[in-house]
Amino acid sequence: MTSVVPKIAIVGAGPAGLTLARLLHVSGLKLEVTLLERDLSPASRREQGGTLDLHTHTGLAAIKKCGLWDEFQKHARYDGQEVILMDKNATELVHKRVTSTLQDRPEIDRVWLRKILLDAVPGCWINWGRKVRTVTDDGKVRLDVLAEGNGGEVKAEGAEEEGPFDLIVGADGAWSRVRQRLMPHVTPRYSGVSGYEVAIFEPTKTCPHVDKMVGQGMFIGLSDRKSLNAQRLGDGSIRVRSWSYCPETEAQETLNKLGKEGTREKILERFATWAPEMTEPFRHGDLDSLMHMTLYELPVGSKWDHQKGFTLIGDAASLTTPFSGEGVNKAMKDSLELAELIEKSQEPNDDLTLDEAVLRYEKLMFPRAEKLQAKTILYRDAMLGPNAPLGLFSDMLKTIAGDSPSFFVRLLGSAPVVALVYSYFWVYIQIGWAVRKFWRRT
Ligand SMILES: Cc1cc2nc3c(=O)[nH]c(=O)nc-3n(C[C@H](O)[C@H](O)[C@H](O)COP(=O)(O)OP(=O)(O)OC[C@H]3O[C@@H](n4cnc5c(N)ncnc54)[C@H](O)[C@@H]3O)c2cc1C
C-alpha cells in the first residue's frame, strides 16, 4: 500500500538522479524524497572531467522543466559544438563551425551540469557517503556508511537500513545495485573498447598550436580502427582521449606495468603511422592526469519484468558506450518522463496509481533505450571500424535517414546517395594524402 505521503528513494546523484530529484521538487507535490549517494560530498569525486552536449527534446527539455534554463545558459557553450574531423594523415574531412545560439546542442562541462542540478535540490534530501549494497523485497535499502580514513582513503564506517520506501529508483549508473534486483542475470559486458585520457590544463601557454587545432569544440581523428580526440572545456583546458579495440584488462595493465610516462610512449607508438600533428595533443597532456578508461555496455534491449516499488533510470537502465553522445540526454529524458508520470499519479482527479505510473514509464522507456543502444553500437563500429572515417559518413546518413519521417531525408539513406557521398570523401582523402606527402617531401 502506498503511504499517504509517498516515500521515494533515489539511489545515485548523477545527472539522472539529480534531474529526477529536482523535477519532483519543482512539482510541489507532497512527497518524501531521499537521495542516497556514495560520494562523500559534492567535491569528493576526483575526476568529473569532460563536457556533454544536451539535445532539444531530451537534456534541454529536462533543464527547462527543471526551471533551470537561465542558470544553464550561463554555462552553456554554443561554440563548443564546433567539430573538426580528420583522418590519420591530418586531412580535414569536416569542419563544422557554430556561432549561433539557434543551434540546438550546446555543450556544458559535466562539473557545471552537476553543480546546477545539485544547487537546485533541497540539501536535506541528499545523503552523502551512502553506498547502497542491496534493496529488499519490502522496499528497504541496505547501505554502507562511508567516511574518509586518516590516510585519506574511503572506508565503510558502519551499515544502515533505510525505508521502507514506496518507490526505489536506481539512478546508480553502470554498476547499479538496484538493477541487481530487477535484472539479476544482466551485467554490463565489456564493449571491446578501451582507451586513455589526459588533460592539457593551459594549452594557450604550453602548446598554442594544439590549442588552435582543437578549436572551441571537438577535434576527432579516425583511422586504422582507432580514434584520437580532443575536447575543449569551459575553462579553456582540453581533454584528450584515445580509443581502440583491445582485451578488457590491457589498458589498466599497461598503466600498472609501464607507469604514466611509459604508457604515453606506448600510446604514441600505436599511432606511429599517423601524421605527427595528430598525436601532438597527447604528447602535450599533463602526465599526472593520465588515466585509463574501459567501456562497458548492457546488451541491446535489456529490460525487466515490472516489480512494484522499484525502477531504473539512466545508465542503470541502459548503459551504452559514449559513441553516440546520447547517454546523459537519455538519462535526463528518463527522469523527465518518470517525474511527469509520478506527478500525474498524484493528481486528485486522476486515478493512475504510483505503481501504474512507473509501469507506464518503463513501457515508454524500453523501446527508446533499445533504439539508442543499437544506434550507439552502429556509431562505435563506424568510428572504429576498418572503413573509418569513410564508413562513418555512410552509416550516419543511413541512421539519420532511417530516423526521419520525411521522404526527402529518407532519400539520403538510399544506396546511390550513400555511394556518392562515400566516393566524394574517398577521392578527397586520396588528394589530401598525396598533397601532404608531396608537401613533406619538398
Ligand atoms: C568517457 C565517457 C564519455 C562520455 N561522454 C558523453 C557525452 O559526450 N555525451 C553524453 O550524453 N554522454 C556521455 N557519456 C555518458 C554519460 O556520462 C552517462 O550516460 C551519464 O552520466 C549517465 O548518468 P547517470 O546519472 O545515469 O549515471 P552516472 O553519471 O554514472 O551517475 C551515477 C551516480 O550514482 C552513484 N552511485 C553509483 N553506485 C552507487 C551506490 N551503490 N550507492 C549510491 N550511489 C551510487 C555514483 O557515484 C554517481 O553519482 C560519457 C561516458 C563516458 C564513460
Side-chain angles (χ1 to χ4, degrees):
M1 201 185 74
T2 306
S3 327
V4 182
V5 175
K7 291 183 182 163
I8 299 180
I10 303 171
V11 182
L18 287 172
T19 303
L20 179 62
R22 169 66 185 175
L23 289 167
L24 295 179
H25 176 56
V26 291
S27 72
L29 294 172
K30 272 200 169 166
L31 298 168
E32 224 178 87
V33 179
T34 305
L35 222 163
L36 302 162
E37 167 58 48
R38 72 176 169 196
D39 283 355
L40 297 185
S41 74
S44 67
R45 191 163 322 171
R46 201 181 65 81
E47 175 51 39
Q48 285 182 33
T51 147
L52 303 159
D53 59 322
L54 298 194
H55 307 167
T56 308
H57 302 293
T58 50
L60 293 178
I63 287 286
K64 279 187 184 155
K65 190 79 196 278
C66 282
L68 296 172
W69 185 249
D70 291 343
E71 198 53 35
F72 173 80
Q73 291 301 327
K74 291 182 196 161
H75 306 284
R77 287 177 292 110
Y78 286 84
D79 58 354
Q81 296 168 86
E82 181 175 0
V83 177
I84 302 166
L85 174 64
M86 291 189 175
D87 72 348
K88 66 188 242 181
N89 298 311
T91 306
E92 190 177 285
L93 300 169
V94 172
H95 191 162
K96 182 182 135 207
R97 289 183 186 83
V98 180
T99 46
S100 156
T101 53
L102 294 174
Q103 296 278 346
D104 62 354
R105 296 191 166 199
E107 293 280 341
I108 184 161
D109 286 7
R110 196 182 278 270
V111 207
W112 276 114
L113 180 63
R114 191 175 199 226
K115 181 161 171 29
I116 291 171
L117 289 166
L118 256 180
D119 288 350
V121 171
C124 59
W125 284 11
I126 310 181
N127 296 272
W128 297 99
R130 300 292 188 278
K131 183 178 179 184
V132 170
R133 272 189 287 121
T134 182
V135 291
T136 65
D137 288 347
D138 55 351
K140 291 186 181 152
V141 176
R142 296 208 177 112
L143 51 85
D144 288 329
V145 179
L146 305 181
E148 198 171 310
N150 291 338
E153 78 287 2
V154 176
K155 55 177 193 169
E157 244 191 0
E160 270 180 11
E161 193 172 85
E162 300 236 1
F165 296 98
D166 297 299
L167 176 63
I168 299 175
V169 182
D172 45 346
W175 302 99
S176 169
R177 292 304 179 106
V178 185
R179 187 200 301 129
Q180 286 176 5
R181 175 180 184 89
L182 289 169
M183 296 193 279
H185 306 299
V186 179
T187 43
R189 60 184 183 200
Y190 177 50
S191 66
V193 178
S194 294
Y196 297 94
E197 182 184 284
V198 75
I200 309 176
F201 293 111
E202 292 187 290
T204 45
K205 284 191 193 153
T206 56
C207 46
H209 55 300
V210 171
D211 187 68
K212 197 165 165 228
M213 174 176 161
V214 173
Q216 290 311 307
M218 193 169 192
F219 157 87
I220 310 171
L222 299 175
S223 282
D224 304 338
R225 310 199 77 204
K226 294 193 277 274
S227 99
L228 262 180
N229 60 57
Q231 206 175 24
R232 175 81 61 188
L233 266 70
D235 62 0
S237 66
I238 291 171
R239 292 290 180 283
V240 188
R241 288 181 185 145
S242 71
W243 297 116
S244 64
Y245 287 104
C246 64
E248 184 175 357
T249 52
E250 190 182 289
Q252 179 163 21
E253 279 170 8
T254 306
L255 202 52
N256 292 346
K257 198 168 138 204
L258 303 180
K260 295 193 172 184
E261 182 91 53
T263 301
R264 177 158 65 188
E265 287 314 307
K266 190 90 191 162
I267 298 166
L268 293 173
E269 242 172 58
R270 285 199 190 128
F271 288 89
T273 60
W274 288 39
E277 56 265 47
M278 297 296 287
T279 49
E280 278 292 278
F282 235 103
R283 230 176 270 281
H284 288 277
D286 178 280
L287 257 194
D288 277 346
S289 67
L290 182 73
M291 61 179 195
H292 76 88
M293 286 180 293
T294 308
L295 299 179
Y296 293 86
E297 63 196 2
L298 283 176
V300 176
S302 306
K303 47 179 85 130
W304 58 91
D305 291 330
H306 175 70
Q307 284 185 38
K308 189 173 179 187
F310 307 92
T311 197
L312 302 173
I313 55 177
D315 279 6
S318 54
L319 176 69
T320 59
T321 60
F323 292 99
S324 64
E326 294 274 6
V328 82
N329 289 287
K330 189 265 172 190
M332 293 172 80
K333 174 79 174 173
D334 290 354
S335 308
L336 185 60
E337 272 179 6
L338 180 58
E340 281 174 354
L341 284 160
I342 292 177
E343 218 177 305
K344 198 165 159 46
S345 75
Q346 301 304 302
E347 280 168 12
N349 301 331
D350 204 308
D351 45 13
L352 186 78
T353 64
L354 179 61
D355 185 47
E356 286 162 354
V358 173
L359 177 62
R360 205 178 279 183
Y361 151 74
E362 289 166 354
K363 283 191 174 156
L364 284 171
M365 187 270 288
F366 287 143
R368 186 163 50 76
E370 184 168 349
K371 202 169 162 196
L372 172 72
Q373 288 173 310
K375 177 175 152 186
T376 306
I377 289 183
L378 190 94
Y379 278 20
R380 180 198 71 196
D381 291 349
M383 289 171 99
L384 298 177
N387 278 335
L390 282 176
L392 182 65
F393 295 118
S394 31
D395 286 340
M396 279 180 95
L397 268 184
K398 284 184 211 155
T399 310
I400 293 165
D403 277 352
S404 174
S406 151
F407 169 75
F408 294 105
V409 178
R410 290 182 85 86
L411 265 186
L412 288 176
S414 64
V417 177
V418 170
L420 196 71
V421 171
Y422 193 94
S423 314
Y424 169 79
F425 280 108
W426 187 85
V427 171
Y428 190 77
I429 284 176
Q430 304 313 313
I431 294 172
W433 175 78
V435 168
R436 269 166 198 280
K437 206 165 174 194
F438 175 75
W439 182 259
R440 283 203 187 101
R441 208 178 281 160
T442 50

